[in-house]
Each structure stands twice: as structure tokens, then as C-alpha cells.
Amino acid sequence: MGRRLGQHFLNRKSTLNRIAESACGERTPLVIEVGAGRGALTEALLERADKVVAIEVDPVLVHYLRQKFRDALDAGRLVLVEQDILKADLSGWGPTVIAGNLPYYITSPILERIFAARDSWNRAVLLVQAEVAARIVAQPGRREYGYLSVMVQVQARAERLFEVPRASFRPTPKVDSAVIKLEPRDPSKDFEISDLASFLEFTGKCFRYKRKTLRNNLAGLYDRAKVESLVGPKDRGEALSVAELSELARLL
């Protein structure tokens, strides 16, 4: 069974156990796994969770998983959901932990889907491309800091847990990976953001052109005199924290 749908399968047992332990601790009642693949992480999660809900879109892999985990399925400890993660409702399972190896090419849309169910999980431990992990946890002033950093950090406390070298996967990808941990936060309480969608739309405008100043990125979108009264001629979006972006959005 080769690579399907952009997946690279992690097969290093020690790393799989470390991800499962980071997600579940010693024991947890329920885990939702994003993209079960061949079930390597599923197996590690089943050792630490009372129940695992594994979401997988590929029918070939779903058939394989049904054979591999027949006993866990019969016992009700594993539920297989054959569905595209970008269409799955993650909020219908009650309080849960989320874990998974995210396909590189749809990492951002999956994160948006996970955050759409922010009130339904208390921790997410995700394997992502190392470059993406760097962007997710980046602080203002860093080259990696941008829209993705803000989109994640306004909705979660993000931590980079450990690196996963490319040799841990089959087939071997061209880049290294990293495991991140997300713990949801309330934008309205932490940043006084009442309309998250509007704030993210504003943030997208601030980072519209990475190399341009805030004045240039916001030109024609807001009153010029007001923008110039609030933003210096050399100020750039990557210099502003989530709280500062929130305050700028409120003032404009």
C-alpha cells in the first residue's frame, strides 16, 4: 500500500508512542484521530484511550483498518468514520482530545476545521511539517510570524513539543516534521475579540503582502488619515502581537 492522498505514514514506534502519550497522558476517555492512515497511531492511541474515533477518507485504508482492528471495533473501543476531515463534524462527540498526522497540503484547512469545534476539545496534538510548526508558534518580529501564527494563537495556546526527522516516514518526505500541542483559548476573554471572523479577515489584510508596510496593505481599505494616525510609516504586520492587532482592528 503506497502513499495515498498526499500522506506520508509515520512508522517509528517510539515517536508514535510519544505522540499518543502527549495527547492522552496516562489515560483519557476519548480521542479523535484525524487521518488514521494505516493505523499506526491508532494502535498507540488505543493503548491510552478508552475510545478512539478514527476519521479516514480513503476507502482502501478504511477497509484495511476494519480488518486490522476488528476486535477493537467489535468491542466498541474504536469507531471508524469514513469521511473527509474537511467535512467532518468534530463537535458531536463531547469533550475530547484530538490527535493526528496532518497531510502537508491541507494543514491550514484542517486546523480551521478543528478550531470550528474549539469548544469540544481540550487538547490537540498534531504532527505537521516543521516549517508549519515554526510558523504556528512564531512570535512577533520573527520571520516566520504571519497570518497562520495569528489564526492559531488567537484561538489556542500553541507549543512545539519535539521534532520528527523525515527518515521516520514511509515514503520519505522531502522535509522534516514536528509535533505541536494546542490548548483552546477564548478570543473574547483573552483578547476582547467579539467577532473572530471579522478579526481574522482584518488580520489577512494586514498580512496581504508580506513585504509591504501596514500602511500599504491597508491602503484603500480604511480611511487613510486614520490609518496614518495609528500606524507608523515603517510598521509591518509581523511586528504586532495578537493583542496589538486586535486593538488596531477595534480602532479602525
Side-chain angles (χ1 to χ4, degrees):
M1 208 182 305
R3 180 166 64 98
R4 299 175 63 85
L5 301 177
Q7 289 177 289
H8 296 270
F9 298 110
L10 177 63
N11 62 0
R12 185 166 292 180
K13 185 70 173 175
S14 60
T15 303
L16 291 162
N17 286 334
R18 196 173 176 187
I19 294 172
E21 185 178 356
S22 298
C24 302
E26 291 186 5
R27 198 76 190 170
T28 197
L30 178 66
V31 179
I32 295 178
E33 183 185 7
V34 177
R38 295 173 180 166
L41 181 57
T42 313
E43 193 169 11
L45 292 172
L46 282 167
E47 294 176 1
R48 294 166 176 82
D50 297 333
K51 187 173 185 176
V52 175
V53 176
I55 301 172
E56 176 56 56
V57 68
D58 188 333
V60 173
L61 292 173
V62 170
H63 176 75
Y64 173 79
L65 293 168
R66 292 195 186 282
Q67 304 304 312
K68 181 175 182 177
F69 295 108
R70 186 176 301 167
D71 291 345
L73 287 163
D74 290 345
R77 295 195 57 237
L78 176 64
V79 177
L80 279 177
V81 178
E82 186 178 343
Q83 191 174 22
D84 184 344
I85 184 58
L86 299 183
K87 298 178 181 177
D89 181 7
L90 302 178
S91 64
W93 299 95
T96 186
V97 171
I98 295 177
N101 173 12
L102 304 192
Y104 293 163
Y105 70 104
I106 53 170
T107 296
S108 291
I110 291 177
L111 287 171
E112 291 174 355
R113 195 70 182 176
I114 289 173
F115 283 128
R118 192 176 60 248
D119 295 335
S120 299
W121 51 273
N122 51 48
R123 182 168 58 257
V125 175
L126 306 168
L127 181 63
V128 299
Q129 189 174 337
E131 180 184 341
V132 173
R135 290 164 57 200
I136 285 173
V137 303
Q139 296 301 302
R142 301 287 298 179
R143 178 179 58 84
E144 299 88 354
Y145 185 76
Y147 176 80
L148 179 64
S149 316
V150 176
M151 187 272 283
V152 172
Q153 293 174 27
V154 74
Q155 299 178 83
R157 294 170 181 83
E159 180 183 355
R160 187 171 181 158
L161 296 181
F162 56 90
E163 311 301 304
V164 181
R166 64 194 75 182
S168 303
F169 297 84
R170 290 293 180 273
T172 305
K174 296 180 180 179
V175 295
D176 294 324
S177 296
V179 174
I180 59 168
K181 180 173 73 172
L182 305 176
E183 294 179 338
R185 69 196 313 169
D186 186 340
S188 63
K189 292 181 180 178
D190 291 356
F191 301 107
E192 298 182 0
I193 295 173
S194 58
D195 187 337
L196 179 61
S198 294
F199 170 73
L200 291 177
E201 182 181 357
F202 172 77
T203 300
K205 295 171 182 175
C206 291
F207 290 101
R208 187 165 49 150
Y209 300 107
K210 184 75 173 176
R211 296 184 179 181
K212 289 193 174 183
T213 64
L214 275 169
R215 286 187 178 182
N216 285 332
N217 275 333
L218 299 177
L221 302 174
Y222 301 93
D223 179 76
R224 179 178 176 178
K226 191 165 189 178
V227 170
E228 291 183 354
S229 71
L230 297 170
V231 175
K234 295 183 179 180
D235 289 348
R236 298 179 184 275
E238 56 262 35
L240 300 185
S241 67
V242 174
E244 289 168 332
L245 283 165
S246 171
E247 178 64 7
L248 182 59
R250 185 184 67 79
L251 292 172
L252 286 176

